[in-house]
Each structure stands twice: as structure tokens, then as C-alpha cells.
Amino acid sequence: MSEEAKHSEHEHHIVSPKVYGAILVALLVGTALTVWASYVDLGVLNPIIALAIACTKATLVVLFFMHVKYSSTLTKLTVFCGVFLFLTLIGMTLADYISRAWGQW
Amino acid sequence: MSTNTIISLPDQSTARVPKVNYLSKENGILSWLLTGDHKRIAILYLISLSFFFFIGGALAGLIRLELLTPQADLMATDTYNKVFTMHGVIMIFFFLVPSVPATLGNFLIPLMIGAKDLALPKINLLSWYLYMAGGILALYTMVTGGVDTGWTFTTPLSTHYVNTNVLTTGLAAFIAGFSSIFTGLNFIVTIHKMRAPGMTWFKLPLFVWAHYAASVLMVLATPVVAIAIVLVALERTIGIGVFDPTKGGDPLLFQHLFWFYSHPAVYIMILPGMGVISEVISTFSRKRVFGYTAVAFSSVAIAVFGFFVWAHHMFIMGISNYAVIVFSLLTMLVAVPSAIKIFNWAFTLYKGSITFETPMLYAFGFMGLFTIGGLTGVFLGVSGTDIHLTETYFIVAHFHFVMVGGMLMAFLAGIHFWWPKMTGRMYPEKISQMAAVVTFIGFNFTFFPQFILGTLGMPRRYASYPPEFQILNVFSTAGASILGVGYLLPVLYLVWSLKYGAVAGDNPWQATGLEWQTQSPPLTENFLKTPIMDHDVYDYEWLEAQKEKEVASAG
Amino acid sequence: MPDSHAIAESAHETAHQAGHEHPSYLRHHFESVEQQADATNFAMWLFLLTEVMFFGGLFTAYLIYRNWYYPAFVAASHQLSIPLGGFNTLLLITSSFTMAMGVWCAEMKKKSGLVLCLVLTLILGLGFLGVKTIEYSEKFEKHHVPSYHYSLNSFLNPDSDEAAKASGDKPMALDMARHTEVYFSLYFAMTGMHALHMIIGIAILGFMIFRAQAGAYTSGHVTFVENFGLYWHFVDIVWIFLFPLLYLISRH
Ligand code: HEM
Ligand SMILES: [Cu+2]
């Protein structure tokens, strides 16, 4: 058996319902906040705030509901990989679109 | 033992193929169709892949025949379009992508890391069923009218302008994609979680490293083409406007999504082959692979860089000029790890005790042809030359050098190399060496002229061409017939060897991998007891010591 | 996942003798229960990675067109109902919570708690789909489903459309208004893919409730529930992004 298998899920951390409850509340508050923020005119900040709140909520779900906070480095790396490549796809594609109109040559 | 071969077979008058092995364990068709054994699934794949290969090959033959003459006289031009499209679809999605991973990878990864099976045997079987479903659907589309968009499903051609079977072909590719995702996923989990005691990452054979890297690509890149295909399907059926310029969509977005997969896919199609070559070169020069760590990491580097270069397929499509510059630079970067591998193999050969058995001949073919293919890839990565060469036969020659000269050679090298392990019997050496040479000659006759044709400006994907190109095309078609012979021969003698081949014994090549330290063909559970990796990888001295011990205990 | 099904199945057959040296849900090719649990968990994560990239293509498309056709996206997003969307977000987040609690119950070997949590998750999921159906059918009625019958009326004459009027939309030029169709294409592609994932999830949930009642997951073998939980939370996360991106583009 490989090393990773030895010390990851072994000390299987059981998250207590209190934590879950707290996350639920945080998520609901986040939802309310994002709806409220969308009614306030903040210019360019509007989408940024909306995404920031969504990212925070997603992070909470990943860390606690999905137990990543208590998981092995491998799981953490896996999540990181996914986020990184997701951003690569979006970022590099958008880079093309954004720079298309620069310098008319 | 003669000096120019390392083959060491047991005494043929007494040797037997072990009675109990994964092939003989159970009988009947159901024991195959419901098997969870990675080795049996590998065999299922091998049979079905070969089938698709010969269908694709027959289509290739038709293409070459049509191009024998400048006029479109053998078939109607739109038939020609369908033929080259189906050739591409079948060869890429149903042969090259699964070729080495699904057969050799499936068979060998658990053996090489000392595991009893892949981590998810049922998912493995599911992969094969998905593959078959996709394949049969593709064949069905072919006989019911075919499709003529090219294997790239280019929009808006595929969404608006053709009324051939785009939907079903797309669905076939989609299903095959999931087969490939599950294979990759299974490999990653297995390599992480199922290694035998003592099998650390840097004791893994390079074959396993290469498959790991390719699996990462399968898992991460394939879903993007899946969603692109879904969007094409929605666009075709209900007319959503994501790629449709008349509704404000951007056809280039399809290209982005498609090549985000399909560039990494070309590495899915070569990395496992590189893994095979590492094993073969080490075994037949009796040396540890030079710069093991560098070769291992170059696989990973290829996988990672492979994600950042996709737009080199779009240089003339209207993407931003700045993006062209960036992607052009990044493309040149990705050639570096490929070169690292070539150089390290060359250094492995240096001062090795080289012998020229069939797998090694194919490996030499690979090294030469892949180098040419890779270098011409760099030409194409430079946007200036690409603008001249793109959509000409130069591209066709480039990717056939890497895919046929590279991956197919590696596949054949691997099949010959591990044939004794898979079947317990040797293939006939002389005739197979001849087949390897015939393949190499045929290949060069077929595809080298296409580089010249491309530079002269002959466009790809047309049934007719100006008469001055005919000589080179005749060369190419003639070469293709030689190549065809080169590919038919192995089928004949490999099947023959199943019954009449010499009994191979556990380790005919005196190779070091764990897969050679168990019986051939292996037991269903691979090893009698879980092996312990107490020596280094490619440790030929350990192997010698091991042999002496055996002799001592036997005597 | 079919693999874990099989694990769950064999777990059931011999639930009464779990806890022995070699529990029967241990598949033959694994060395230990930990290795098996670890491997399936990792496999699930890799599968989710695939899912991330699958949705990645859609998000890319969304961002590009949102930048290109911002006014059209704003006006089109006004056609969505925040109360309905918000309510759905609420349902889904709560279902994520009940799912997490389900995993906890399985770990603590509380059978009735687990069944209750799974049933609640199922109901909340169905509720989500119900609301989605209401939303979709409204789009059908207004001809906002991209296809050959797509109607621009709400955007060319906002006064004729309640939702547009309520948001104070101005009539749009024809060529920009036409691009609302791109918005709705993406809206249906994204929420449709998401709903498809919900439907698959609900089917599996139904199956799990059935098994949970038989005590399959409360004998120490929780892998299947855990891995399904990961899937369900992932689907929740997708919605967490879809909601602000599709509904809340600009409401001021
Ligand atoms: C070693 C580094 C490589 C580089 C720098 C490279 C570069 C390129 C470039 C720039 C193109 C686009 C040409 C054009 O359409 O104008 C291209 C096309 C292609 N390459 Fe490569 N390549 C490399 C290796 C490979 C490998 C290993 C494979 C497959 C095993 C491969 C398969 C293909 C295919 C199939 C196409 C044509 C796609 C099409 O338009 O149908 N390449 N390559
Ligand atoms: Cu490429």
C-alpha cells in the first residue's frame, strides 16, 4: 500500500453538526447578501462582489460540507488542479477575445 | 545464447504455458463480457481496437487510391469528404486515443506497480462498453450516409451547412470521450493508491509515469470537447445561438473549446507511446534509462504545457494577433520536454549492449520519425511558417509522422514486447523484424512526399489536385500499399503464434519490470503474493543476482 | 460510481457481520478497507474535476458573450424572477446541508437519521426541479426559448412585458435585442445541464434511501454515501455560481 493510503482517511475526521449548521447559516446569509448587493449600483464592483460572494460560498461548501479542510494533501491538490485548469480555460480564451481589438494589425 | 540477441527461452521440449492463468481461469463468452480482470479487458480492447484500425485503414486506402490521379475519378467529391472524415474520426477517437493506454496500459499498469487489479474494475469494464457503443454508433453513421465535416466538426459547417450524420457522429465521439475519461481516472487512482510496498514514485517504470501524465490529460481535457459537442448538437437540433454568427455567436469559440481538448489529445496519443519506448530502449540496451527523473518529469511537463498551446491550431482563423504571439512562443516551449525524451533515449543507447529484436526496431523507427514529426510541429508552431503551411499536406505529413510514425510504431513495439507476457508465447522473430522494416520503408514512402507536397502548396482535404503534383502522390499511394502489407503481416503471424509460437517463459527479454517477475500469462490475481519492491527500477544487476540465486537453489 | 454500488450491495448482504477482520464489502483487489475507501473517494474527486471542466466550457462562453452583449444580457436577465431563483438557491443550499447531515448520520451509524436526511434531500431536490419547471414553462410561453420561434417582443417593447416594465427597461435597438437569444441559449444550456445533474442525483438518492432503510450504510461502510455527498455538493456549487451570473447581472 502506498504512503498516502496510510495516513489520510485513517484518522477520518467527523465534522460535527454544529459546524454544518454554522455553514448553512453562512451560506444563507451569503445568498441574501448577494441579492441585496445586486440592487445597489456599485458600477464595476457589482459583478466583482457577486463573484466574490459566490466564491466564498463555494469555498465554504468545499472546505466543510465536502470535508476538504480535513482531507489529505492529495485531495487538496486535486481541488487546486481543478480550479487552476478551469481558470486557465477561461483566462486564456478570454485573453484572445480581449486583445482582438488592440492595435489594428 | 547467441551474442546478437537477448532472448532467453525455456527449454522448448519440456516447457509448457502455465495451465492456470488469466486466460484459462474461466471459459465462455460471458466470462469475458462480464469480466473485471484488467488483463481480459485489455484483450477485449486489443481485439476491438484492431478491428477499428483496419476499418480506418481501409478508408485510408480509399483516400490514397482516389489521390492516385489528379481528377476526382474514383468517387464523387462529397463521398471523398465522407471517407477522409470517417478515416479521421475512427483513427483518432477509436484507435489512437485508446490504443496504448486501453490495451497495454490496462494490462500492465497493475502488474508494473504490483497490484492485483486497477482500482475500479467495473468502471474499467464500463469504459470498454462505452468504447464499443461509441464505435458501433460511428460505424452505423458510416453505413447510413456518413459525415463530411472533417474530424474537427468545424462550425458553422457542422451546425448549418451539411445535412449528413453530424449528430450521431458527435454522439459517438462524446461516448468514446467518456470511455477515455474513465480509463484515465482509473489509472490515476490506481497509480496513487494501489502501489505495492516499496514501490515509491521514483521506482515506477517510465511507462507508468507516461500513463499518469496522459491520464491527467484525459480526465481534464476530454470534458471540454464533450460540452463543445453538446453545444453543437443543441445548435443543430434546436438552433441555440452559441456558435452561430447570425445570432451573435462566435464560431471561434467552438475552435477554442475543441482545441482545448484536441491539442492535449495529441499528447494523449503520444505520451503512452513514449512510455513504451522507454521500456523497450532500456531493455534492449540493458541499461537504466538515462536521466530517469528527467524523463519522468518531462512526461508531466508535456501534460502541463500541453494545456497552454491549443490556439496554435487557430493562427489563421482570426484570433487576436497578440494571442498568436503568445501561443506561438508557448508551442515552442512544449517541444522542449519532447526533446528531453529523445536525447535521454539516445544517451541510454550510448554504450549500451544493444540488440535488435522487433520491439527495438520499432523503437528506432519511433525515435527517428517522431523527431521529424515533432520538429515539423515546431515549424508549424512558428506563426510565420504556419500561415504558409497550414491546411496543406504539410500538416497531414506532420501529424502522420507523430501519430503513425510515432504512436503506431510505439503501439506495435509494445504489442511485440509484451506479447509473450500477454499470451505466454513468442511471436516469430525473423518475419516480424521484416514487418518492422517494411513498415518503416512504407511509412517514409507514404508520408515524406507529403511534406514536399505541402510546401509546394497542395491543400489538404480535396479529392483533386493540379496535375503537377501527381508524381509525389503516386509515390505516396505506392508507399501506402507497402505500409498496408507491413500492418497486415503482424496480424497474421501474431494470430499464428497463439498456437505455434515458442513457449516464452516468465521473462524472455531478461527485463527488470515487476510484470516480468511473474508467470506468462499471469494469474488472474497477477502475483502469488504481493511483491515487495526492494530494488531500484531498471536494476539489471539485481536481475542478474536474482538469476544466480535461482540457479543456486535449483542446483 | 456503479463500482461503489457494487460495494454497497455486497455490504448489505453481510451487514450483520461487518467489523470483522475482512468485511465482505472489501473488494478482493484491495489490501484494506482504508485503501478501498481512499481509492473510491479519490476517484470521485477526479470525476468532479471532469465535471468542473465540463461546466468550464459553458462558463467561458457565458463570460465572452456577457462582455460582448452586456445590454442584452442585462435586459434578458430581467426576465428571470429573483424570488423564484432565490427560493431555489435556498432549497439547494438546505439540501446540501441535509446531505452533509446524512453523511454525519451514516458515520455515527444512526439509521433513521440517515434515512430522514436522505428523504429531506430528495424532497428539496424535487422542489428545486419543480420551481425550475415553473420558470421554464414561463419562458416557453413568452417564446424566450432559443429556436425558430424566438420572440424579441419583451426587449423591443418593454412596456408590453411586465417583467421588463418592472425593471424599467428601455426599448433596445434590434441588433442588440437579437442577442438576448444568446443569453437564453446559455441560460438553458447551463441550467439545463445543472438540472440534468440534479435528476441523476435524485435518481441515485432514491436508490440510496431504499438501501439505507435496509441498513446498508450504517454498519461502518459509508463510502457510497460520502461520495454521493461530494457529487451533490458539487451540483450545489454550480448553482451557487449560476444564480448570481444568470439572475443578478444588474438589477439597479
Ligand atoms: C512535439 C511538438 C509538437 C508541436 C510543436 C506541434 C505543433 C502543431 C501545430 C502548430 C499544428 C497546427 C498546424 C496547423 O493547423 O496549421 C499541429 C497540427 C497537428 N498536430 Fe502537432 N505538434 C506537435 C506534436 C504532435 C503530436 C505528438 C501529435 C499526435 C500524436 C500531433 C498531432 C497533430 C495533429 C493531429 C494536427 C492536425 C490537426 C488538424 O488540423 O486536423 N502533433 N501540430
Ligand atoms: Cu496542437
PDB file of all heavy atoms in Angstrom, chain B residues 295-309:
ATOM      1  N   VAL B 295      13.243  12.155 -17.567  1.00  0.00           N
ATOM      2  CA  VAL B 295      12.253  11.584 -18.479  1.00  0.00           C
ATOM      3  C   VAL B 295      10.889  11.527 -17.789  1.00  0.00           C
ATOM      4  O   VAL B 295       9.854  11.844 -18.386  1.00  0.00           O
ATOM      5  CB  VAL B 295      12.689  10.183 -18.953  1.00  0.00           C
ATOM      6  CG1 VAL B 295      11.654   9.596 -19.874  1.00  0.00           C
ATOM      7  CG2 VAL B 295      14.023  10.260 -19.656  1.00  0.00           C
ATOM      8  N   ALA B 296      10.902  11.140 -16.512  1.00  0.00           N
ATOM      9  CA  ALA B 296       9.633  11.076 -15.783  1.00  0.00           C
ATOM     10  C   ALA B 296       8.977  12.444 -15.749  1.00  0.00           C
ATOM     11  O   ALA B 296       7.795  12.594 -16.083  1.00  0.00           O
ATOM     12  CB  ALA B 296       9.883  10.569 -14.361  1.00  0.00           C
ATOM     13  N   PHE B 297       9.748  13.459 -15.391  1.00  0.00           N
ATOM     14  CA  PHE B 297       9.142  14.777 -15.276  1.00  0.00           C
ATOM     15  C   PHE B 297       8.827  15.382 -16.633  1.00  0.00           C
ATOM     16  O   PHE B 297       7.910  16.204 -16.746  1.00  0.00           O
ATOM     17  CB  PHE B 297      10.047  15.711 -14.464  1.00  0.00           C
ATOM     18  CG  PHE B 297       9.867  15.525 -12.987  1.00  0.00           C
ATOM     19  CD1 PHE B 297      10.926  15.186 -12.163  1.00  0.00           C
ATOM     20  CD2 PHE B 297       8.605  15.674 -12.408  1.00  0.00           C
ATOM     21  CE1 PHE B 297      10.741  14.997 -10.803  1.00  0.00           C
ATOM     22  CE2 PHE B 297       8.413  15.491 -11.055  1.00  0.00           C
ATOM     23  CZ  PHE B 297       9.488  15.143 -10.255  1.00  0.00           C
ATOM     24  N   SER B 298       9.554  14.972 -17.660  1.00  0.00           N
ATOM     25  CA  SER B 298       9.219  15.535 -18.968  1.00  0.00           C
ATOM     26  C   SER B 298       7.819  15.079 -19.387  1.00  0.00           C
ATOM     27  O   SER B 298       7.107  15.824 -20.057  1.00  0.00           O
ATOM     28  CB  SER B 298      10.267  15.159 -20.009  1.00  0.00           C
ATOM     29  OG  SER B 298      10.243  13.779 -20.255  1.00  0.00           O
ATOM     30  N   SER B 299       7.418  13.877 -18.967  1.00  0.00           N
ATOM     31  CA  SER B 299       6.044  13.454 -19.266  1.00  0.00           C
ATOM     32  C   SER B 299       5.056  14.402 -18.609  1.00  0.00           C
ATOM     33  O   SER B 299       4.083  14.857 -19.227  1.00  0.00           O
ATOM     34  CB  SER B 299       5.786  12.044 -18.739  1.00  0.00           C
ATOM     35  OG  SER B 299       6.506  11.106 -19.473  1.00  0.00           O
ATOM     36  N   VAL B 300       5.307  14.690 -17.347  1.00  0.00           N
ATOM     37  CA  VAL B 300       4.402  15.583 -16.636  1.00  0.00           C
ATOM     38  C   VAL B 300       4.439  16.970 -17.266  1.00  0.00           C
ATOM     39  O   VAL B 300       3.404  17.617 -17.440  1.00  0.00           O
ATOM     40  CB  VAL B 300       4.780  15.645 -15.146  1.00  0.00           C
ATOM     41  CG1 VAL B 300       3.858  16.570 -14.395  1.00  0.00           C
ATOM     42  CG2 VAL B 300       4.743  14.251 -14.550  1.00  0.00           C
ATOM     43  N   ALA B 301       5.647  17.404 -17.651  1.00  0.00           N
ATOM     44  CA  ALA B 301       5.768  18.732 -18.245  1.00  0.00           C
ATOM     45  C   ALA B 301       4.990  18.803 -19.550  1.00  0.00           C
ATOM     46  O   ALA B 301       4.298  19.792 -19.823  1.00  0.00           O
ATOM     47  CB  ALA B 301       7.238  19.062 -18.476  1.00  0.00           C
ATOM     48  N   ILE B 302       5.081  17.740 -20.350  1.00  0.00           N
ATOM     49  CA  ILE B 302       4.332  17.736 -21.603  1.00  0.00           C
ATOM     50  C   ILE B 302       2.849  17.879 -21.311  1.00  0.00           C
ATOM     51  O   ILE B 302       2.132  18.649 -21.956  1.00  0.00           O
ATOM     52  CB  ILE B 302       4.605  16.439 -22.384  1.00  0.00           C
ATOM     53  CG1 ILE B 302       6.014  16.461 -22.944  1.00  0.00           C
ATOM     54  CG2 ILE B 302       3.604  16.276 -23.516  1.00  0.00           C
ATOM     55  CD1 ILE B 302       6.376  15.218 -23.718  1.00  0.00           C
ATOM     56  N   ALA B 303       2.398  17.143 -20.294  1.00  0.00           N
ATOM     57  CA  ALA B 303       0.980  17.217 -19.960  1.00  0.00           C
ATOM     58  C   ALA B 303       0.599  18.628 -19.532  1.00  0.00           C
ATOM     59  O   ALA B 303      -0.428  19.165 -19.950  1.00  0.00           O
ATOM     60  CB  ALA B 303       0.653  16.217 -18.860  1.00  0.00           C
ATOM     61  N   VAL B 304       1.431  19.246 -18.713  1.00  0.00           N
ATOM     62  CA  VAL B 304       1.068  20.566 -18.204  1.00  0.00           C
ATOM     63  C   VAL B 304       1.152  21.608 -19.321  1.00  0.00           C
ATOM     64  O   VAL B 304       0.187  22.331 -19.590  1.00  0.00           O
ATOM     65  CB  VAL B 304       1.982  20.953 -17.025  1.00  0.00           C
ATOM     66  CG1 VAL B 304       1.695  22.373 -16.581  1.00  0.00           C
ATOM     67  CG2 VAL B 304       1.775  19.986 -15.871  1.00  0.00           C
ATOM     68  N   PHE B 305       2.296  21.672 -20.001  1.00  0.00           N
ATOM     69  CA  PHE B 305       2.434  22.652 -21.082  1.00  0.00           C
ATOM     70  C   PHE B 305       1.371  22.426 -22.149  1.00  0.00           C
ATOM     71  O   PHE B 305       0.920  23.352 -22.808  1.00  0.00           O
ATOM     72  CB  PHE B 305       3.810  22.559 -21.740  1.00  0.00           C
ATOM     73  CG  PHE B 305       4.948  22.985 -20.867  1.00  0.00           C
ATOM     74  CD1 PHE B 305       6.262  22.775 -21.251  1.00  0.00           C
ATOM     75  CD2 PHE B 305       4.712  23.605 -19.650  1.00  0.00           C
ATOM     76  CE1 PHE B 305       7.317  23.159 -20.444  1.00  0.00           C
ATOM     77  CE2 PHE B 305       5.766  23.989 -18.842  1.00  0.00           C
ATOM     78  CZ  PHE B 305       7.068  23.759 -19.243  1.00  0.00           C
ATOM     79  N   GLY B 306       1.025  21.150 -22.339  1.00  0.00           N
ATOM     80  CA  GLY B 306       0.067  20.810 -23.380  1.00  0.00           C
ATOM     81  C   GLY B 306      -1.233  21.577 -23.259  1.00  0.00           C
ATOM     82  O   GLY B 306      -1.958  21.743 -24.232  1.00  0.00           O
ATOM     83  N   PHE B 307      -1.527  22.064 -22.063  1.00  0.00           N
ATOM     84  CA  PHE B 307      -2.776  22.798 -21.880  1.00  0.00           C
ATOM     85  C   PHE B 307      -2.679  24.254 -22.323  1.00  0.00           C
ATOM     86  O   PHE B 307      -3.676  24.954 -22.368  1.00  0.00           O
ATOM     87  CB  PHE B 307      -3.184  22.769 -20.405  1.00  0.00           C
ATOM     88  CG  PHE B 307      -3.926  21.520 -20.020  1.00  0.00           C
ATOM     89  CD1 PHE B 307      -3.395  20.633 -19.113  1.00  0.00           C
ATOM     90  CD2 PHE B 307      -5.164  21.249 -20.578  1.00  0.00           C
ATOM     91  CE1 PHE B 307      -4.079  19.484 -18.759  1.00  0.00           C
ATOM     92  CE2 PHE B 307      -5.853  20.111 -20.231  1.00  0.00           C
ATOM     93  CZ  PHE B 307      -5.313  19.226 -19.320  1.00  0.00           C
ATOM     94  N   PHE B 308      -1.476  24.724 -22.628  1.00  0.00           N
ATOM     95  CA  PHE B 308      -1.318  26.156 -22.863  1.00  0.00           C
ATOM     96  C   PHE B 308      -0.998  26.499 -24.307  1.00  0.00           C
ATOM     97  O   PHE B 308      -0.531  27.585 -24.591  1.00  0.00           O
ATOM     98  CB  PHE B 308      -0.209  26.704 -21.953  1.00  0.00           C
ATOM     99  CG  PHE B 308      -0.523  26.582 -20.501  1.00  0.00           C
ATOM    100  CD1 PHE B 308      -0.124  25.475 -19.775  1.00  0.00           C
ATOM    101  CD2 PHE B 308      -1.258  27.564 -19.858  1.00  0.00           C
ATOM    102  CE1 PHE B 308      -0.430  25.343 -18.434  1.00  0.00           C
ATOM    103  CE2 PHE B 308      -1.579  27.435 -18.521  1.00  0.00           C
ATOM    104  CZ  PHE B 308      -1.162  26.326 -17.799  1.00  0.00           C
ATOM    105  N   VAL B 309      -1.213  25.595 -25.206  1.00  0.00           N
ATOM    106  CA  VAL B 309      -0.765  25.859 -26.579  1.00  0.00           C
ATOM    107  C   VAL B 309      -1.869  25.691 -27.611  1.00  0.00           C
ATOM    108  O   VAL B 309      -1.624  25.825 -28.800  1.00  0.00           O
ATOM    109  CB  VAL B 309       0.411  24.925 -26.948  1.00  0.00           C
ATOM    110  CG1 VAL B 309       1.559  25.143 -26.014  1.00  0.00           C
ATOM    111  CG2 VAL B 309      -0.012  23.484 -26.927  1.00  0.00           C
TER     112      VAL B 309
END
